Amino acid sequence: MVWPPALRRFFHHPWVLGVLGILTVFVAWFLATSSGMVDKLFLPGPGAVWLAGTDQFQQGILVKDAIASIQRVFLGFVISAGLALPIGIAMGTNRTICYLLEPLMGLIRYMPAPAFIPLLIIYFGLEELPKVMLIFIGTFFFNTLMIMDAVKFVPSELVETALTLGGRGLPILTRVVAPFIAPQVLDTYRINMASAWNLVIVAELVAANEGLGKRISLAQRFLRTDEIFVGLIVIGLIGLIIDLGFRFLMRRACSWAN
């Protein structure tokens, strides 16, 4: 069967394929639950999850939890990204700084961030600071080392050309290095934002009064798997929106890299 060119272009569009992929999962989910193959206690149907979600939304619980988690993620990640950028650039451009900091960061990077939770609770209590610090610890070292690598891969020809044209110091950094690494930096932030979301959920499971992770923990205690699915789907949707936001920013701010 030969499809018309317009139809082929339609089905090869990224958005169409993405939506089809999501719909395929939902259809399989619906068929599995409606056929009775799986106990609803373990896998609630899409309808039950929708009802649980609308109930939480009408009570204001869902929005309150989502805002609490988003605030923690963005605060911790903004601090991490803001510090990682200058340190990563310094490590990528200065061999002495790189030799001094890279082994330390490589060591801490392999320490699982959730293992710091007991210490953070001891040091900072059960308020917001330990949750923010956990996100910072879990993303800062990855952000820094990935930015450092981006700087190291700046072609030497670009720097040499700038030096030949009379560039020195800061102008080379702002007009040569920064534009070249900008797409990689945004991509680094986009990738590591997922780690920030994983960590905030872990932190909220341990100690929190509100948040999507706390809501999932409470639902698990009472075997409310429909509410667990609500939390997971909301987390996924927020993550998808953030990911698309980074992609949009990259297209607008770094159009030369597309």
Side-chain angles (χ1 to χ4, degrees), residues 193-224:
M193 177 62 81
S195 299
W197 270 102
N198 292 334
L199 291 169
V200 76
I201 299 305
V202 171
E204 291 174 350
L205 287 173
V206 175
N209 293 322
E210 57 187 13
L212 295 171
K214 181 64 174 181
R215 195 61 48 191
I216 291 174
S217 177
L218 292 174
Q220 180 267 334
R221 292 180 189 177
F222 299 101
L223 296 179
R224 294 298 306 272

Side-chain angles (χ1 to χ4, degrees), residues 2-256:
V2 180
W3 289 11
L7 192 60
R8 285 203 303 270
R9 287 195 299 270
F10 174 77
F11 278 104
H12 280 83
H13 192 280
W15 280 101
V16 175
L17 292 175
V19 171
L20 282 176
I22 294 174
L23 287 177
T24 301
V25 173
F26 272 91
V27 169
W29 178 19
F30 174 78
L31 292 176
T33 53
S34 61
S35 65
M37 296 171 54
V38 184
D39 193 323
K40 292 183 179 180
L41 176 63
F42 301 105
L43 183 64
V49 174
W50 174 262
L51 290 176
T54 54
D55 183 57
Q56 287 189 0
F57 180 79
Q58 290 172 356
Q59 295 180 41
I61 296 174
L62 191 60
V63 175
K64 185 178 180 182
D65 287 337
I67 290 175
S69 296
I70 290 171
Q71 287 177 339
R72 291 164 184 152
V73 167
F74 273 89
L75 182 57
F77 195 80
V78 164
I79 297 172
S80 167
L83 291 177
L85 183 60
I87 296 175
I89 292 175
M91 292 175 65
T93 55
N94 189 294
R95 188 172 299 177
T96 302
I97 297 176
C98 180
Y99 289 162
L100 177 66
L101 296 180
E102 187 174 10
L104 176 63
M105 291 198 172
L107 173 68
I108 301 176
R109 180 183 61 166
Y110 282 97
M111 297 179 183
F116 287 90
I117 291 177
L119 288 175
L120 293 174
I121 292 176
I122 292 172
Y123 295 156
F124 304 114
L126 298 174
E127 300 302 324
E128 292 300 305
L129 186 55
K131 302 174 186 61
V132 173
M133 288 300 299
L134 179 67
I135 295 167
F136 171 80
I137 292 171
T139 58
F140 170 72
F141 302 102
F142 288 94
N143 282 336
T144 302
L145 292 176
M146 291 173 74
I147 291 173
M148 177 197 72
D149 286 338
V151 174
K152 285 184 176 180
F153 282 102
V154 174
S156 58
E157 294 83 0
L158 291 178
V159 178
E160 292 169 0
T161 301
L163 291 171
T164 302
L165 294 174
R168 290 293 183 275
L170 188 60
I172 292 181
L173 183 63
T174 57
R175 298 187 180 185
V176 178
V177 176
F180 185 86
I181 68 170
Q184 290 92 327
V185 170
L186 288 176
D187 211 38
T188 293
Y189 291 160
R190 182 180 66 85
I191 293 170
N192 290 330
M193 177 62 81
S195 299
W197 270 102
N198 292 334
L199 291 169
V200 76
I201 299 305
V202 171
E204 291 174 350
L205 287 173
V206 175
N209 293 322
E210 57 187 13
L212 295 171
K214 181 64 174 181
R215 195 61 48 191
I216 291 174
S217 177
L218 292 174
Q220 180 267 334
R221 292 180 189 177
F222 299 101
L223 296 179
R224 294 298 306 272
T225 49
D226 52 351
E227 294 183 1
I228 294 176
F229 270 79
V230 170
L232 293 174
I233 292 172
V234 170
I235 292 168
L237 288 175
I238 294 173
L240 178 62
I241 292 171
I242 293 172
D243 194 84
L244 293 175
F246 272 113
R247 291 175 184 270
F248 175 78
L249 179 61
M250 187 180 297
R251 287 196 301 269
R252 295 299 299 268
C254 309
S255 57
W256 67 89

